[in-house]
Amino acid sequence: MVKLEKYKETELVEMMHRAGIRPSAQRIAVFSVIANDRCHPSAEEVFSILFERFPSLSRTTVYNSLHALSEAGLIRELEIEAGNMRYDLAPQPRHSHFICRECGKIFDMKMPAAIENETSEGFEIEDIDVYYRGLCPDCHKSNKQ
């Protein structure tokens, strides 16, 4: 599994400033959920996580914030499951993802060395997505019992 780094609010604000995004309390909160929780949330999950803290938060604000952060290259859109967009922090080393077919959790995993070191003749590779599916250790353990 990939080591998780926690980002302070001041670091997130600085990243937003460098990307040309005006940091509002809601945008910072949306960015923080994705950068620090690493749960690869959907827009609806981001809304649910933040609604208690921001009762006046609208889904439109969440979607607009996700769009702005994505356009600025601070977060990535992942379509691990067809038709279900999820979000991940962009400025981090390349990594792959594992989705558990039992609990639905998504985990960051190291990129396979053969892919990480892939070179291309004449092609400019901008992004590589590798997804694994199966059972996470907890679900695998509970299925054996």
Side-chain angles (χ1 to χ4, degrees):
M1 297 248 263
V2 175
K3 182 182 179 289
L4 302 181
E5 178 180 345
K6 290 285 186 177
Y7 292 88
K8 297 176 187 166
E9 186 174 306
T10 54
E11 293 172 300
L12 297 174
V13 168
E14 179 58 34
M15 290 168 74
M16 292 172 78
H17 277 300
R18 282 194 308 259
I21 295 179
R22 184 183 58 80
S24 65
Q26 291 87 352
R27 282 183 178 168
I28 295 166
V30 167
F31 193 22
S32 181
V33 166
I34 294 164
N36 291 322
D37 291 354
R38 302 290 174 89
C39 58
H40 306 87
S42 65
E44 191 60 36
E45 289 169 336
V46 171
F47 175 77
S48 295
I49 290 167
L50 295 176
F51 186 72
E52 191 171 305
R53 189 165 131 206
F54 297 97
S56 63
L57 182 69
S58 70
R59 284 177 174 80
T60 301
T61 299
V62 170
Y63 279 100
N64 289 342
S65 296
L66 291 169
H67 179 74
L69 293 165
S70 178
E71 287 292 311
L74 295 174
I75 63 173
R76 290 183 57 218
E77 294 181 328
L78 304 173
E79 192 172 5
I80 296 173
E81 304 158 300
N84 188 12
M85 203 61 69
R86 294 182 169 273
Y87 298 88
D88 196 9
L89 183 67
Q92 60 180 319
R94 279 189 182 156
H95 60 279
S96 58
H97 294 96
F98 179 94
I99 183 165
C100 180
R101 66 175 165 78
E102 184 96 9
C103 67
K105 289 182 185 172
I106 301 170
F107 302 87
D108 288 341
M109 297 184 69
K110 288 183 180 180
M111 185 65 78
I115 294 172
E116 181 62 36
N117 298 322
E118 179 70 28
T119 58
S120 62
E121 296 179 30
F123 294 95
E124 181 181 334
I125 298 173
E126 295 178 348
D127 207 4
I128 298 173
D129 292 316
V130 175
Y131 303 119
Y132 297 95
R133 297 184 197 303
L135 292 173
C136 70
D138 290 340
C139 292
H140 179 72
K141 183 179 175 181
S142 67
N143 281 351
K144 279 189 155 186
Q145 293 175 350

